[in-house]
Amino acid sequence: MFKDYLYITGLAFRDIAHERILSFCMALSLGAIFTPIIILLGLQQGIIGNMLDTLASDPASRLVRPKFMIQSPMPNDSLEVIKKAGVEFIPSETSHLLLNVKGLADSINVVPSSKKDPFVIQSDHKDIINNTNWVVISESLSKQLGKKQGDNLTLLLKRTANSNYPEEVPLDFKIVGILSTKLMPDLKIYLPVTVFNGIYHWRKGYAVPSLGLKGNRSDDFTPEYDGVITGFSKKPSDSIFRQMLAGRLPFSTMPEKYQPFIIKHDDWLLWETVNSTITDQDIDVLNNSLLNHGYAPKLIPYVKGISLELNKSTPLKKWDVYMLSRSESPKWNKGDKPILFVSSGDKQFLGNQSVILKTGLKNNNVVIPVKLKISKNVPSGKIVASHHFAGLLRSAKRLGANYNNDQHEFFLRSRDQIRYFRVYAKSIEQLDSLVQVVKNGGDALNLDALKEPVSKLYEVQKIRTLSDYMKKIYFLIAFISAVSTIFAVSSSVYASVQRRKKDLAYLNMLGIDKITIIFFPLMKSMILISIGIAIAFLGYWFFSIIASHWFVDLLGETESLTRLPVQDILFIIGSILSLGGISSLSAGLFVSRIDSKRYIHE
């Protein structure tokens, strides 16, 4: 039996050689059918593959961060959940720092980083080991400074001392890596997160012994406000306000009329911050700016969203903190029990009481002993504190502070106040799940900054959608090509059987059964299909060379517009041979209809 099949195979090769021109034309026609399928698949894999490779090679494609800096520190358990979902987690107290660099006139954007930061890894860093005196800089910054890997870079740290004079301290770092312009086109410095947070602490006045930086503040806790209420006997024009906003004011929007004071004779306006707070120094800046324009305003610090509950009260008694002028507000003395003013309708609560302030993102209850007094200037349902203590309440609510009842002062639960982070997914395929984890954290804590985190998820999804559409187009063309292949192969095999039916009948008369004879058109067809496949891949190779040459400016010399992985090549060859084999076998069944007795008489 095996010899019969071997003999039939030899006959198929000799028949192709005998009809070489016809066979070559048939192979060319099959190649013309197969080539578009292979080129289209190569383009799909190449275009989408290049896009995905670009995203995969860019660390920013795997980065997820809050939409803006969170005002209150995040709870440790929420941070731990996000950390576990990513491959590298970099928590910090602020999103970035603008620091001066020796040799440059303008300040440079500095971001927190780590040894395992994908951006740092992409810089081909050297000599990091366990020290923290290192930086990674962008290529554009290295060119401006004229520095290379291994050189030293000096950061000039600046802050205002207690005497209101500027203070400057130089810190030297070793440049361990330079990030290419392709990955980071901006002027940027990547600094170890411990050093980054240390510099942030120092600029706030704290001492940082690990960096050799001294502190200049006596109080760990300072008041802050949501804005300023300004009163004018003669209100400035809007053009004056616009000129002021163009300067160095801590506000970015025009002031609006303050409704609670609308019954008073003066014009009262509210200057409100956007997603930030201000200090007493910022209020002085606003006052000086108004004085420079010839106006002497009345200034009242403003806080919002601060409520105090009477401790262990049934039913619940709650007041909203209300701001009055300094002369109408209670006095504040450090170390004394705070005095608060309430309306005459709350006279039953006068004297020593305890109120509850909800602080932090989880609304922790902080009990504060106070002394309540009546003031005719306080509206019903409101409570008035001194300007300083109201600012402390605002700061305590934001920072999630505790209260020392003996010393009558707030204190931080922890010096580290994590309000920002950068977390990386292990791959772009896992970016979606990481973004969802961050969003879930935002929903749980009601943080808008986390409900819509910043990432390149949209770009990744867009490329995947494009890939899905291209697959649909490919399968549509592949289906049309498959139908064409069936007709072409079936027609070729049927025509071959019709041309050779007399010869096939003679073989049957010589003792070869028809099942074995069917192998002849099948083998001949598979040989022609194999030649057609070879021609198709040759056409694909020529197309790939020409296309890559045309798009060299876009792709570069090392990239190709098309690509075909080995598994896709094997899949194409296997699919075409299987489809061709089935078509050939179906058409070859006409051999069974040949009546060998008809040719005996001949």
Side-chain angles (χ1 to χ4, degrees):
M1 179 67 69
F2 177 74
K3 289 184 178 181
D4 291 340
Y5 283 114
L6 194 62
Y7 176 73
I8 293 296
T9 301
L11 284 179
F13 274 106
R14 285 195 291 271
D15 190 55
I16 290 173
H18 177 70
E19 298 179 337
R20 62 180 66 90
I21 296 178
L22 182 62
S23 299
F24 181 68
C25 291
M26 184 60 193
L28 283 177
S29 64
L30 291 173
I33 296 173
F34 303 150
T35 302
I37 306 176
I38 299 174
I39 290 178
L40 185 63
L41 182 60
L43 283 173
Q44 182 215 355
Q45 296 286 352
I47 295 173
I48 301 300
N50 285 331
M51 290 180 178
L52 292 176
D53 287 350
T54 300
L55 286 175
S57 63
D58 184 3
S61 301
R62 297 184 282 124
L63 173 63
V64 182
R65 56 185 176 85
K67 189 174 184 179
F68 45 81
M69 195 170 69
I70 303 165
Q71 285 202 27
S72 299
M74 289 190 63
N76 289 332
D77 53 350
S78 299
L79 292 172
E80 191 64 27
V81 171
I82 297 174
K83 179 180 178 180
K84 289 180 179 179
V87 69
E88 179 60 12
F89 180 71
I90 306 173
S92 59
E93 298 195 31
T94 187
S95 58
H96 67 282
L97 293 172
L98 292 176
L99 301 180
N100 293 90
V101 178
K102 186 177 181 180
L104 292 180
D106 298 326
S107 55
I108 300 299
N109 188 13
V110 179
V111 296
S113 185
S114 68
K115 291 187 294 184
K116 295 182 180 180
D117 187 337
F119 277 104
V120 173
I121 295 174
Q122 289 275 24
S123 69
D124 296 327
H125 63 80
K126 297 178 182 177
D127 303 327
I128 287 185
I129 312 176
N130 292 321
N131 70 76
T132 57
N133 293 327
W134 58 266
V135 292
V136 170
I137 64 176
S138 60
E139 185 179 0
S140 54
L141 179 58
S142 72
K143 290 179 179 178
Q144 282 203 20
L145 292 171
K147 293 184 179 292
K148 60 183 184 300
Q149 192 175 31
D151 292 345
N152 285 335
L153 177 142
T154 302
L155 293 178
L156 302 176
L157 310 184
K158 296 182 179 181
R159 70 179 179 186
T160 301
N162 289 330
S163 56
N164 288 329
Y165 284 102
E167 182 181 354
E168 182 175 292
V169 177
L171 278 185
D172 292 330
F173 297 90
K174 185 176 181 180
I175 301 174
V176 298
I178 295 177
L179 206 56
S180 68
T181 304
K182 182 179 179 182
L183 292 177
M184 181 48 61
D186 303 328
L187 300 176
K188 188 167 286 189
I189 297 175
Y190 291 83
L191 197 65
V193 65
T194 53
V195 178
F196 178 90
N197 287 334
I199 294 175
Y200 179 71
H201 285 164
W202 180 82
R203 290 176 70 170
K204 291 170 64 177
Y206 296 109
V208 186
S210 61
L211 298 177
L213 300 174
K214 298 179 179 179
N216 69 355
R217 65 187 294 170
S218 55
D219 296 324
D220 284 345
F221 218 85
T222 56
E224 57 187 41
Y225 310 95
D226 295 299
V228 184
I229 306 167
T230 54
F232 302 93
S233 56
K234 181 182 177 183
K235 181 182 141 183
S237 64
D238 288 348
S239 61
I240 296 294
F241 290 146
R242 291 191 185 93
Q243 291 178 26
M244 293 171 57
L245 290 173
R248 293 183 174 272
L249 280 186
F251 305 97
S252 58
T253 57
M254 292 281 287
E256 297 180 354
K257 184 167 288 188
Y258 188 57
Q259 297 297 329
F261 287 1
I262 201 168
I263 60 174
K264 299 196 175 184
H265 297 295
D266 295 336
D267 286 320
W268 290 93
L269 299 175
L270 172 61
W271 300 74
E272 195 169 1
T273 58
V274 179
N275 194 38
S276 64
T277 57
I278 59 171
T279 63
D280 289 323
Q281 289 76 16
D282 296 319
I283 296 176
D284 290 338
V285 170
L286 175 63
N287 186 39
N288 292 334
S289 180
L290 288 168
L291 290 174
N292 289 336
H293 284 84
Y295 298 92
K298 300 171 186 176
L299 299 175
I300 301 176
Y302 169 76
V303 296
K304 66 177 181 179
I306 307 293
S307 299
L308 297 176
E309 298 177 7
L310 190 64
N311 190 26
K312 298 180 180 179
S313 62
T314 305
L316 176 67
K317 180 59 182 177
K318 184 177 181 181
W319 297 281
D320 294 328
V321 174
Y322 187 74
M323 303 302 294
L324 292 174
S325 65
R326 191 176 297 275
S327 61
E328 298 172 315
S329 302
K331 294 182 179 180
W332 179 83
N333 294 311
K334 184 176 181 180
D336 292 344
K337 183 181 293 186
I339 298 174
L340 303 178
F341 287 167
V342 294
S343 66
S344 57
D346 294 322
K347 58 184 179 181
Q348 68 269 32
F349 303 115
L350 297 184
N352 293 326
Q353 297 283 1
S354 293
V355 294
I356 297 174
L357 172 69
K358 295 186 179 297
T359 67
L361 294 175
K362 290 196 170 182
N363 291 322
N364 301 307
N365 287 340
V366 175
V367 180
I368 308 171
V370 297
K371 190 172 185 178
L372 299 183
K373 293 185 177 181
I374 288 179
S375 172
K376 63 180 181 179
N377 298 314
V378 181
S380 177
K382 306 294 183 180
I383 193 167
V384 174
S386 67
H387 290 181
H388 187 87
F389 190 66
L392 291 179
L393 291 173
R394 178 66 183 85
S395 185
K397 179 176 176 62
R398 181 179 69 84
L399 297 175
N402 266 343
Y403 193 77
N404 188 318
N405 294 340
D406 297 327
Q407 298 181 2
H408 297 291
E409 64 179 9
F410 288 101
F411 64 93
L412 295 175
R413 299 173 187 268
S414 171
R415 180 64 61 84
D416 296 326
Q417 303 284 299
I418 304 303
R419 298 184 293 149
Y420 196 82
F421 61 83
R422 290 163 58 227
V423 61
Y424 294 88
K426 188 173 183 180
S427 64
I428 57 176
E429 286 76 19
Q430 297 181 10
L431 181 62
D432 194 358
S433 60
L434 178 59
V435 169
Q436 193 57 49
V437 169
V438 175
K439 284 184 176 180
N440 292 340
D443 292 335
L445 298 172
N446 194 27
L447 287 175
D448 292 335
L450 301 187
K451 290 179 180 179
E452 297 180 6
V454 177
S455 71
K456 289 194 174 182
L457 180 61
Y458 174 74
E459 287 83 349
V460 173
Q461 290 176 337
K462 187 166 62 174
I463 291 175
R464 287 177 177 168
T465 301
L466 178 61
S467 176
D468 292 338
Y469 283 135
M470 290 192 69
K471 283 180 181 178
K472 291 179 181 179
I473 295 174
Y474 172 75
F475 284 125
L476 178 61
I477 296 178
F479 174 76
I480 297 173
S481 298
V483 174
S484 302
T485 300
I486 292 173
F487 282 118
V489 172
S490 300
S491 301
S492 173
V493 172
Y494 180 77
S496 177
V497 169
Q498 292 299 317
R499 289 197 310 273
R500 296 296 183 184
K501 61 182 179 180
K502 184 184 295 186
D503 300 326
L504 297 176
Y506 290 158
L507 290 176
N508 185 230
M509 287 188 294
L510 292 174
I512 300 177
D513 59 86
K514 290 185 178 180
I515 295 178
T516 306
I517 294 174
I518 291 176
F519 187 71
F520 171 77
L522 173 64
M523 193 62 200
K524 182 179 177 180
S525 176
M526 297 302 287
I527 294 171
L528 292 176
I529 290 174
S530 299
I531 297 174
I533 292 174
I535 293 172
F537 276 103
L538 184 63
Y540 165 79
W541 180 67
F542 275 117
F543 174 83
S544 179
I545 293 176
I546 295 173
S548 298
H549 179 71
W550 284 348
F551 292 91
V552 68
D553 293 336
L554 179 64
L555 301 173
E557 296 182 357
T558 58
E559 298 293 336
S560 175
L561 187 65
T562 58
R563 66 171 69 174
L564 274 181
V566 175
Q567 61 268 25
D568 288 340
I569 294 175
L570 294 177
F571 173 75
I572 290 175
I573 294 175
S575 299
I576 293 176
L577 289 177
S578 300
L579 191 63
I582 294 173
S583 303
S584 302
L585 191 61
S586 300
L589 292 176
F590 285 100
V591 172
S592 60
R593 298 182 180 182
I594 297 176
D595 185 7
S596 303
K597 297 177 181 179
R598 286 183 50 196
Y599 301 100
I600 294 177
H601 301 290
E602 298 181 11

